[in-house]
Amino acid sequence: MTTETNAPPRITGRQRKVLLVLLGAGFMLSVDFSILNVALPQVGTGVGLGVTELPWITSAYALPAAGFALVFGRMADLYGRRRLFLSGMVLLTAASLIGGFASAPETLLTARVLQGVATAISIPASLSLLTSTFEEGAMRDRVLGLNGALLSGGFTVGALVGGTLVSLLSWRAAFLINVPVALVILLVTPSLIGESKVPDRVKLDLAGAVTVTGGLLASIYAIIEKNLPVAVVGLLLLAAFWMIELRAPAPLAPVRILKRPTVKWGNYAGLVIFTMETAMIFLMTLYMQQTLDLSPLATGLVFGVPGLAAVAAGPIAGRLLGRFGTRQVLVAGMLVQGLATLPLIFLGANRIVLVILVPALFIGFFGHVTAIVAYTVTGTSGLPNEEQGLATGLTSMTQQVAITIGIPILSAVAATQSGELAGIHLALTVNVIVTLASALLIWVGLRPRGDHAAAAAPAQPLSPPATP
């Protein structure tokens, strides 16, 4: 007979409301990102940006979102997570209004930069509020599984309804849709979520903040623009950051944390997971529209159906983590993501290949989201509450960096071939090799040893958690 002591944890009514607010914020950001991608040509026409300048609408957002995530994650620990989360929502509201009413390229790109900064503020803060609200173990795994499902659902919903929304209203709707949702979050958050405990007399490591942010911004910019001198500057700044952290009395990112196998290998996994999948989706979009001659709407539907698997994967991953442990689920998710990409290497130019493409995407998306949930749990496990902002800042930074660099890297690989289809095949081959090889490295890197053994073990209690 099941006793009270081994019953699975249950989410309280107040915790459900906290989940609604924090997960709703993430869902909003992911929906908006997808809608704006669909609207890029209309946005460019509306403010006078040429076709060659359109990528900067994405890059202006991605650079600050990736470059500032670590700093703001740590600031959430030091100055209050709720305070940072609300600040991010305020900035997002203002940036969305600026973008929604923009009439010149400079105004629009300024709005995108501010949206990127708002994302760098709010995502680590909201994630650290989640991880500090729910204890490490089965309950947190379930919550992060729901988070992964809603983020994936947001991307899918944005891709499916974005074209319709923009067509019926305007490209400005892709910006303005944020405003009412953010205002509701700003109104209800203070009464639902308490402020985190702020440590006494701990100052922000300014030298570390400047060098890591500058290094990330320079490195990401160098990859996007293929600029070697800027890449050297970025690497030098990141090396300076490491040296500063070794000597700083109150480091931004203590080296002892960065050296933890769960933090190190968890974030490496996240980098591979997002880099490879983002690039694959981009390459398949080109393939369907340029090689198979599908319309944008048909392409969105091809991605939308497998997207349902991504939504289902989040809650399932949370349960799998409690049963099998983070190491097993993380590596299994990456293997599924990589192996599902393998058949795409052999696709030809006939539309009959859709009978292979759609199931492969379905299986791959399931593995992808499972791996996302597992890497998030891995990267934030085993750390005290006062360092959860740093941990979620690292995982958020990893995600944003990977999303930004994946397409330029594998596009450069594809460009080495004379034919478009041959280039896509080569880039996907690299994708599969990197994903599978990385899964093997992570399996070895996260092997149980000493005081880190518990991080790879299944969460307690061993009985499966209740269905949400």
Side-chain angles (χ1 to χ4, degrees):
M1 185 174 77
T2 302
T3 64
E4 185 68 25
T5 56
N6 62 12
R10 295 189 178 277
I11 299 175
T12 66
R14 176 186 167 277
Q15 288 174 329
R16 289 181 188 277
K17 293 176 183 177
V18 171
L19 274 178
L20 183 63
V21 170
L22 297 177
L23 297 186
F27 182 79
M28 171 189 68
L29 290 169
S30 62
V31 168
D32 184 62
F33 184 82
S34 297
I35 290 176
L36 192 62
N37 278 347
V38 173
L40 283 181
Q42 293 91 337
V43 174
T45 301
V47 298
L49 278 172
V51 175
T52 58
E53 298 168 315
L54 288 182
W56 272 107
I57 298 177
T58 300
S59 298
Y61 167 90
L63 280 167
F68 290 98
L70 178 60
V71 171
F72 284 120
R74 186 56 176 154
M75 286 178 66
D77 286 334
L78 299 180
Y79 304 120
R81 292 164 191 152
R82 187 184 71 175
R83 183 176 293 114
L84 265 291
F85 175 67
L86 292 174
S87 299
M89 288 295 103
V90 170
L91 183 58
L92 179 67
T93 303
S96 299
L97 286 170
I98 293 171
F101 294 103
S103 58
E106 297 80 8
T107 306
L108 182 93
L109 293 177
T110 298
R112 290 296 285 158
V113 169
L114 294 176
Q115 282 187 323
V117 175
T119 299
I121 296 172
S122 51
I123 287 183
S126 64
L127 267 178
S128 60
L129 284 169
L130 279 176
T131 56
S132 56
T133 299
F134 298 92
E135 292 184 3
E136 186 172 330
M139 183 177 288
R140 186 186 292 179
D141 294 346
R142 289 170 58 196
V143 167
L144 292 178
L146 288 171
N147 181 63
L150 282 175
L151 289 178
S152 300
F155 284 115
T156 303
V157 168
L160 289 175
V161 307
T164 303
L165 180 64
V166 171
S167 298
L168 290 176
L169 299 175
S170 163
W171 62 266
R172 300 182 187 277
F175 285 93
L176 298 177
I177 194 173
N178 289 329
V179 176
V181 181
L183 289 176
V184 171
I185 291 172
L186 286 169
L187 287 173
V188 302
T189 296
S191 61
L192 279 179
I193 303 175
E195 185 57 275
S196 59
K197 184 179 179 182
V198 178
D200 295 330
R201 297 184 179 180
V202 177
K203 294 182 179 180
L204 180 67
D205 173 16
L206 187 58
V210 170
T211 50
V212 72
T213 302
L216 287 169
L217 289 173
S219 299
I220 297 167
Y221 177 85
I223 292 173
I224 294 173
E225 294 294 310
K226 302 177 180 63
N227 189 312
L228 183 57
V230 176
V232 173
V233 172
L235 292 175
L236 289 175
L237 285 171
L238 291 176
F241 167 70
W242 184 266
M243 299 303 295
I244 289 168
E245 299 308 280
L246 288 172
R247 295 168 174 77
L252 179 75
V255 174
R256 61 178 174 78
I257 292 177
L258 299 177
K259 287 183 176 180
R260 285 182 63 92
T262 51
V263 173
K264 177 173 60 179
W265 289 106
N267 281 281
Y268 172 69
L271 186 68
V272 173
I273 291 163
F274 279 105
T275 299
M276 295 299 112
E277 193 75 357
T278 301
M280 183 277 292
I281 291 172
F282 173 76
L283 292 169
M284 285 297 95
T285 300
L286 292 181
Y287 169 74
M288 284 187 278
Q289 294 190 21
Q290 297 182 6
T291 302
L292 300 185
D293 198 28
L294 295 181
S295 68
L297 177 60
T299 302
L301 290 174
V302 170
F303 281 121
V305 175
L308 299 176
V311 176
I316 294 173
R319 290 193 285 271
L320 292 175
L321 286 167
R323 183 171 297 176
F324 299 108
T326 53
R327 178 177 179 237
Q328 288 80 354
V329 176
L330 175 58
V331 172
M334 293 183 68
L335 289 174
V336 171
Q337 176 179 318
L339 291 174
T341 306
L342 185 61
L344 308 183
I345 296 171
F346 306 101
L347 297 183
N350 194 307
R351 290 186 180 181
I352 192 66
V353 301
L354 291 174
V355 300
I356 298 173
L357 177 59
V358 173
L361 291 175
F362 191 94
I363 295 168
F365 284 4
F366 188 93
H368 175 62
V369 174
T370 300
I372 290 173
V373 175
Y375 113 80
T376 306
V377 172
T378 302
T380 57
S381 296
L383 296 173
N385 276 347
E386 60 268 21
E387 293 175 341
Q388 282 299 313
L390 170 61
T392 55
L394 280 168
T395 58
S396 301
M397 177 196 73
T398 297
Q399 175 179 334
Q400 296 296 336
V401 168
I403 290 173
T404 306
I405 67 175
I407 293 173
I409 290 174
L410 286 196
S411 293
V413 173
T416 62
Q417 303 299 301
S418 56
E420 180 181 79
L421 190 56
I424 290 174
H425 287 167
L426 177 61
L428 291 177
T429 301
V430 172
N431 183 311
V432 172
I433 292 171
V434 170
T435 304
L436 298 183
S438 297
L440 177 60
L441 289 173
I442 290 160
W443 177 260
V444 174
L446 288 177
R447 67 188 183 279
R449 57 192 179 209
D451 58 351
H452 298 302
Q460 298 294 332
L462 292 176
S463 55
T467 303

